[in-house]
Amino acid sequence: MTETRTCEFDHNNNPKKNTRSTEELKDGFSGLPYSGVEDGLSGLPCFGVDNDKGGILEDGFSGLPCSGVEDGLSRLPCFGVEDDKGGILEDGFAEKGKKKRRICEMGRLSDALVVLGSDIMLMILSCLDARSVALCLLVSCGWRAVASSDKIWSSKCEELWQGKTHLPRIAKVNDLSKLAVYSLSIMDGKRKRIRKEDLYDHVWEFHFTEAAPEYWRMLDPYWNGTGRPLRRYFLPDGSQTAEPDDKIWGGHESCYSIVTSVLADGKIRAHYVRINRWPPMYVTRKEDWSWEISNNFCTYRSVPDADKKDGTGPLFLLR
């Protein structure tokens, strides 16, 4: 015997009879198509995917262990390595490893250094400008070994020094590589802070400016056109001299000092050369690496001396 219970009412207070039996409620699948095959575990019917109208099969996998990543195809759970009983994931990793090795091998074979060899690459890099060769230093260790060769940077140094008024003393150190010499030469050429070595290593041409008194200008060959510009000499002991026939100098004594005012953050606030008690002479660095110190009344310019064997200026760089 089956027992029938009423559990719902319509709006007219007429009870609806529940026509499903307790046996029908027990299996939970009444009214659904049945494949005729049981799952062998609980006696539940086994459905085909095409008949899964309510997503029952899809929900049935929610209790399986999942690594948190779906496969993107059937929304089936993705198992961790510890659940990989058949070695599926292991085979996948091996295939990915082989693919990466193939890509690396293809990249190695497409490397110009591997294909052409170091000798030919050395010839090619020698034809590039210094900036391009410097970028080649960043490619790999093999490229750096070739791109840092002294054979390349010796010619680059000569190109850099061409037309320069002074060559830095630090660039003449024999134990340095040519790449280091090139870099240090660039750094020294950008240096704005004059040092005592810069003053006494060079000969300085001197002339008055237009703002100077006319009497002084008339004694200056720069203005009256009677000869080459006057010259001044800074000595290591802090004194300054002139040539014996210098009418402006007059044989008087003078001394010089370099004044540099630095802020707390290391930036230079003021930088100038003072001769005796005359107005400060402010420093300018030219593109040809020459120096100029000047005020409203006179100007000093360093005479070119790039032929000096040991170079000029300080051995250690400062800003």
Side-chain angles (χ1 to χ4, degrees):
M1 293 290 292
T2 60
E3 180 181 357
T4 304
R5 298 179 181 179
T6 59
C7 58
E8 295 183 6
F9 296 88
D10 58 14
H11 295 287
N12 297 325
N13 295 327
N14 294 325
K16 290 184 179 180
K17 292 184 178 181
N18 188 350
T19 58
R20 299 172 65 183
S21 65
T22 57
E23 292 181 357
E24 291 172 335
L25 293 174
K26 181 179 180 181
D27 60 14
F29 298 94
S30 175
L32 297 177
Y34 181 60
S35 65
V37 181
E38 297 180 351
D39 63 359
L41 297 175
S42 60
L44 296 177
C46 179
F47 297 92
V49 176
D50 296 337
N51 300 322
D52 184 23
K53 303 300 185 180
I56 299 175
L57 292 180
E58 182 178 337
D59 296 338
F61 288 105
S62 60
L64 296 177
C66 181
S67 64
V69 181
E70 297 178 352
D71 61 4
L73 298 175
S74 60
R75 299 184 64 186
L76 295 179
C78 178
F79 297 91
V81 176
E82 62 275 5
D83 301 314
D84 184 25
K85 304 301 184 182
I88 299 174
L89 295 180
E90 183 177 349
D91 294 340
F93 290 144
E95 183 63 28
K96 289 182 179 180
K98 292 179 181 179
K99 184 177 180 181
K100 289 182 178 180
R101 285 194 294 272
R102 287 195 300 269
I103 294 175
C104 292
E105 183 66 19
M106 292 174 61
R108 191 183 72 85
L109 293 178
S110 61
D111 190 343
L113 181 60
V114 176
V115 175
L116 301 177
S118 58
D119 293 338
I120 296 180
M121 281 298 297
L122 189 63
M123 297 172 60
I124 295 174
L125 295 182
S126 299
C127 299
L128 301 179
D129 61 279
R131 178 178 175 81
S132 300
V133 178
L135 292 176
C136 293
L137 295 169
L138 307 177
V139 176
S140 66
C141 293
W143 279 65
R144 181 176 180 82
V146 177
S148 60
S149 173
D150 283 352
K151 295 181 180 179
I152 297 176
W153 290 101
S154 294
S155 61
K156 302 304 178 188
C157 287
E158 296 297 330
E159 294 174 5
L160 175 66
W161 295 339
Q162 188 69 31
K164 296 299 187 291
T165 303
H166 314 299
L167 298 184
R169 177 173 280 109
I170 195 171
K172 299 294 184 177
V173 179
N174 294 328
D175 295 337
L176 295 177
S177 67
K178 295 302 180 181
L179 173 59
V181 168
Y182 186 95
S183 301
L184 292 172
S185 297
I186 291 290
M187 294 173 61
D188 187 84
K190 294 180 178 180
R191 178 169 55 92
K192 306 297 185 181
R193 183 176 177 180
I194 199 168
R195 302 291 303 279
K196 188 176 181 180
E197 294 87 344
D198 295 311
L199 291 175
Y200 65 69
D201 276 348
H202 307 309
V203 177
W204 297 80
E205 290 185 347
F206 167 87
H207 67 83
F208 286 109
T209 65
E210 191 173 2
E214 184 178 0
Y215 172 78
W216 288 356
R217 285 190 284 115
M218 290 300 99
L219 295 176
D220 188 351
Y222 178 85
W223 290 100
N224 59 34
T226 58
R228 65 178 178 84
L230 299 175
R231 292 193 172 187
R232 297 288 186 266
Y233 304 90
F234 295 89
L235 303 181
D237 62 1
S239 62
Q240 185 191 34
T241 61
E243 296 175 337
D245 57 347
D246 191 328
K247 297 180 180 180
I248 297 176
W249 185 258
H252 67 276
E253 296 181 358
S254 66
C255 60
Y256 67 90
S257 61
I258 300 174
V259 180
T260 305
S261 176
V262 182
L263 298 175
D265 58 359
K267 294 183 178 180
I268 297 177
R269 181 179 64 179
H271 180 59
Y272 57 88
V273 177
R274 182 183 290 277
I275 300 174
N276 287 348
R277 295 185 178 181
W278 300 338
M281 308 191 69
Y282 293 96
V283 180
T284 305
R285 190 73 184 271
K286 303 296 183 179
E287 292 185 359
D288 62 354
W289 297 357
S290 63
W291 295 94
E292 179 179 295
I293 54 177
S294 61
N295 56 24
N296 292 335
F297 300 104
C298 62
T299 299
Y300 288 77
R301 286 184 181 149
S302 58
V303 176
D305 53 8
D307 56 342
K308 282 193 174 183
K309 180 180 179 181
D310 296 329
T312 58
L315 183 60
F316 300 100
L317 298 179
L318 290 176
R319 289 189 305 169

